[in-house]
Amino acid sequence: MKNIFNLMALFAFLCCFSACDDDEAVIPTLAVTPANLNGTWELAEWNGQPLAEGTYCYVTFDRKEQTFEMYQKFDSMYARHITGGFSIEEDPYLGSVIDGVYDYGNGEWNNKYIVTDLLETGSMIWTAKDNENDVNKYVRCEAVPEDIIAEAKVDKEE
């Protein structure tokens, strides 16, 4: 009887381990550093939805100077070219947090963002530190399209 009980316990123990599925692929993420952010990124989704037609946001990060250039037509009906600096800090509870300051005394970004899922394939997720429902997905791109740069320049000349 004792042997049957030991065999049953062993069988239950083995069943528990065999039920675990280790086949899920783990997608490696990159560290959130100025070097890994360097380049141009396009805002592809905002709160899980694609951007409305006619709106866009492109951000180009310079790792050496820790500056950014943003071309956006998102919160205004006019295209804007915005510049400034950024910094990345490590929060022990939240992970990598990016923050920025606009040039010409225009102040700080409205939010600090927790950066997650920075992938080698060229995407990352930004979640507002103070609003977990404000989620942005950026995808890497070659450059800001020339027509968007021209549209922002026209706005500056007027």
Side-chain angles (χ1 to χ4, degrees):
M1 184 73 163
K2 190 175 182 181
N3 287 338
I4 293 174
F5 180 72
N6 286 340
L7 283 173
M8 293 295 280
L10 179 63
F11 181 70
F13 182 73
L14 290 174
C15 284
C16 289
F17 278 110
S18 66
C20 296
D21 186 11
D22 290 344
D23 294 341
E24 262 186 55
V26 175
I27 300 172
T29 59
L30 299 172
V32 180
T33 64
N36 288 334
L37 291 182
N38 191 59
T40 302
W41 297 83
E42 177 184 7
L43 180 61
E45 292 178 12
W46 186 40
N47 296 330
Q49 300 294 319
L51 298 183
E53 188 175 336
T55 62
Y56 56 80
C57 180
Y58 290 88
V59 182
T60 302
F61 293 102
D62 181 322
R63 68 184 174 105
K64 290 181 183 175
E65 302 295 323
Q66 290 197 2
T67 58
F68 70 89
E69 280 189 81
M70 182 184 302
Y71 291 88
Q72 64 122 325
K73 189 175 180 183
F74 189 68
D75 61 357
S76 170
M77 63 189 275
Y78 300 106
R80 298 190 304 155
H81 176 234
I82 304 166
T83 59
F86 72 95
S87 63
I88 300 169
E89 64 182 51
E90 287 300 318
D91 183 290
Y93 302 105
L94 301 174
S96 301
V97 178
I98 190 167
D99 190 16
V101 176
Y102 298 111
D103 284 341
Y104 311 111
N106 288 326
E108 297 179 6
W109 291 358
N110 289 337
N111 294 298
K112 293 181 179 185
Y113 294 92
I114 303 162
V115 182
T116 57
D117 299 336
L118 178 56
L119 305 177
E120 282 186 30
T121 56
S123 66
M124 64 180 162
I125 305 294
W126 287 23
T127 305
K129 185 176 176 183
D130 297 328
N131 181 0
E132 65 186 29
N133 295 320
D134 184 0
V135 180
N136 305 300
K137 180 179 182 180
Y138 287 88
V139 294
R140 190 177 290 281
C141 56
E142 289 296 316
V144 178
E146 291 297 323
D147 59 327
I148 289 175
I149 293 173
E151 183 179 13
K153 285 183 180 178
V154 167
D155 183 47
K156 282 191 168 201
E157 292 172 1
E158 294 181 352

